[in-house]
Amino acid sequence: MTEPLNLERRAAVWEALSELFVGKELQDYDYAGIAKTLRASGYSIDELEKVLREEVAPVFRSNLSALAVPEMEGWAQDTVVKEIRAYLERERTGISRLLMRLETSRALPDAATKRWQRIRSLLS
Amino acid sequence: MIGKSQRESEHRSRQPKKNGKMSMADTHTATPASGEKRALEEALAGLQGTASQFGATCINDARARLQYARDIAAVPGELRAAIDAGRISVSDAAAQASALRNRIMELARRRSSPTARAYAMRLKREGRSVSELSEKYARRLYGNSFSALSEQRQASVFKEIIQASGRPDEGVMRLAQQLGRAGRRLLLVSLAVAVYDVVEADDKPREVMRQSALAGAGLIGGWAAGSAAVAVGVCAATAPVCVGAIAFVGGLLATYGAEASFGSLYPRPTR
């Protein structure tokens, strides 16, 4: 997405998408709530997927790794915004830019993929 | 100049054992002329120590994570019993559920290896307050703000907070079992090499001690190096790659050190 970041619009999307990386089992009402927030944002599904892969997943995917003791209840919007902005605003040159590209091209963790598929089906 | 007795010693060390086989330990028997073999022995010892370190670390981290899942799953049952017995109100139970889960998570992270701890701490966590959670669940369950709900609905929001606090995702938790299985396999390989070396060694009690020293040094060295790297500020507590690399090098160096010290404390008997 190349347009300037509309933080207010994006923050709610970031918070909703970060829930795909929590350790607890998401319930029907969670999926419905996430889908509702995403729909209200006005972004298309493709745009949302790009935000998920390029902005949210690189920051939160570690919560779903085999090494992590996962956070269950998710993160407050302030925390989500702070973490993602820090990730996006980090200055990158050479290898770190390459690593960032690799990071964003990686497949999502299994649990996040399944959850995203379900959200997609609710959105379409 | 190599003296006669030294040449004899070398000659003896090159003789195969009665059964015609040479053990992995024997292949690198330390004689002055066998520098390459000694290097190979040290490299193999290092690998073995590192494999033990990785294996034991994976098993430990998997255990910590599975214990975490079990502990948080037990919370709702205990709180429900306390509510039913009238020992605690539903709202207090919801607050306790959230606090208990945070405490259990901290304990599980403390039990993890330095690398796993650094990984877990990458995301700074600020636990969500009960009021935040009640608001979130009220909107999710009833599409309304918590304060606008009836008393009965507010109670059901609290109950859902309690329930959700003990509902880990099975798929996510299964990763811990995979980690544990990988650790056990690695440890088994390391054990198999150790057993082979003991079986093939002439001095079996000495080889058992050597293998134990290598495994112990790898494990303790890796753990200590990882923890020390965070404690003295070489790595940030939230930098798993840095902590992991230092733990790896620490384990390797400790194994080399153990191999060298053991060799000088208990020299291999000459045959």
Side-chain angles (χ1 to χ4, degrees):
Chain A
M1 249 164 261
T2 49
E3 89 261 21
L5 203 64
N6 178 343
L7 203 57
E8 206 179 318
R9 187 181 175 204
R10 198 72 131 240
V13 170
W14 282 343
E15 186 191 6
L17 289 175
S18 72
E19 285 203 55
L20 303 187
F21 299 89
V22 297
K24 73 169 184 181
E25 185 184 77
L26 293 183
Q27 305 299 299
D28 290 347
Y29 60 75
D30 287 313
Y31 287 108
I34 294 168
K36 189 177 166 192
T37 306
L38 296 180
R39 200 176 295 119
S41 74
Y43 289 119
S44 69
I45 294 183
D46 288 344
E47 285 173 324
L48 289 169
E49 183 156 344
K50 202 161 185 244
V51 172
L52 171 65
R53 288 181 186 281
E54 294 181 4
E55 296 169 14
V56 182
V59 177
F60 293 97
R61 68 179 311 139
S62 63
N63 197 55
L64 292 181
S65 99
L67 274 182
V69 172
E71 170 65 54
M72 293 285 168
E73 199 51 77
W75 303 268
Q77 194 178 89
D78 289 351
T79 311
V80 173
V81 171
K82 199 165 67 184
E83 295 285 340
I84 295 181
R85 286 192 71 179
Y87 168 75
L88 294 176
E89 286 165 8
R90 206 174 299 153
E91 213 168 287
R92 288 179 174 86
T93 49
I95 292 178
S96 58
R97 196 178 296 160
L98 186 72
L99 286 175
M100 186 192 184
R101 262 188 225 149
L102 283 174
E103 180 81 39
T104 51
S105 62
R106 278 169 74 190
L108 294 174
D110 281 353
T113 304
K114 282 180 196 148
R115 291 166 177 177
W116 174 239
Q117 291 307 327
R118 184 143 175 211
I119 297 287
R120 271 190 80 111
S121 67
L122 290 174
L123 290 173
S124 50
Chain B
M1 288 281 288
I2 301 173
K4 187 186 168 199
S5 62
Q6 206 168 325
R7 276 199 304 271
E8 279 171 1
S9 163
E10 273 186 50
H11 176 73
R12 274 198 306 273
S13 74
R14 284 184 191 135
Q15 294 299 308
K17 291 198 312 189
K18 280 174 197 161
N19 60 6
K21 285 189 274 181
M22 289 181 86
S23 77
M24 211 173 282
D26 289 338
T27 54
H28 10 278
T29 300
T31 62
S34 59
E36 282 178 14
K37 285 179 181 172
R38 184 194 288 272
L40 174 67
E41 180 169 357
E42 282 173 359
L44 286 174
L47 273 178
Q48 208 174 323
T50 311
S52 308
Q53 182 211 340
F54 270 122
T57 303
C58 287
I59 292 172
N60 171 75
D61 288 343
R63 204 173 285 162
R65 195 168 151 154
L66 290 171
Q67 186 62 46
Y68 169 60
R70 273 196 294 271
D71 288 350
I72 59 168
V75 168
E78 285 170 21
L79 288 175
R80 263 201 316 272
I83 295 168
D84 292 345
R87 292 197 302 271
I88 191 170
S89 69
V90 187
S91 60
D92 286 346
Q96 275 202 21
S98 179
L100 269 173
R101 192 173 53 190
N102 289 341
R103 207 176 312 153
I104 291 168
M105 177 189 274
E106 290 310 319
L107 278 175
R109 287 181 174 177
R110 252 182 259 167
R111 273 189 220 125
S112 305
S113 67
T115 312
R117 206 158 43 230
Y119 208 78
M121 286 167 65
R122 269 175 88 181
L123 284 169
K124 290 179 194 70
R125 65 178 317 271
E126 287 148 33
R128 305 185 85 166
S129 65
V130 182
S131 59
E132 273 179 331
L133 290 176
S134 352
E135 202 54 41
K136 175 184 158 188
Y137 280 95
R139 293 202 178 276
R140 289 269 159 96
L141 292 167
Y142 301 110
N144 216 336
S145 133
F146 182 76
S147 55
L149 298 180
S150 67
E151 210 170 297
Q152 201 183 353
R153 286 193 163 182
Q154 286 185 347
S156 67
V157 165
F158 284 135
K159 281 182 185 162
E160 186 52 27
I161 292 174
I162 296 167
Q163 276 306 116
S165 71
R167 217 184 261 147
D169 186 287
E170 272 186 30
V172 175
M173 290 302 161
R174 212 174 297 131
L175 293 171
Q177 289 165 341
Q178 287 168 6
L179 186 70
R181 271 199 294 274
R184 276 193 292 278
R185 274 184 209 131
L186 212 51
L187 212 53
L188 270 177
V189 170
S190 173
L191 197 66
V193 175
V195 168
Y196 177 83
D197 270 355
V198 170
V199 169
E200 291 296 306
D202 286 336
D203 186 348
K204 292 187 173 36
R206 179 190 178 279
E207 190 58 25
V208 168
M209 281 202 296
R210 177 178 166 269
Q211 294 296 335
S212 312
L214 293 183
L219 184 62
I220 295 167
W223 200 286
S227 305
V230 174
V232 300
V234 175
C235 300
T238 53
V241 176
C242 177
V243 178
I246 288 191
F248 173 79
V249 173
L252 206 59
L253 289 178
T255 314
Y256 282 144
E259 172 74 354
S261 313
F262 192 84
S264 55
L265 282 173
Y266 303 98
R268 208 182 294 278
T270 49
R271 273 163 278 155

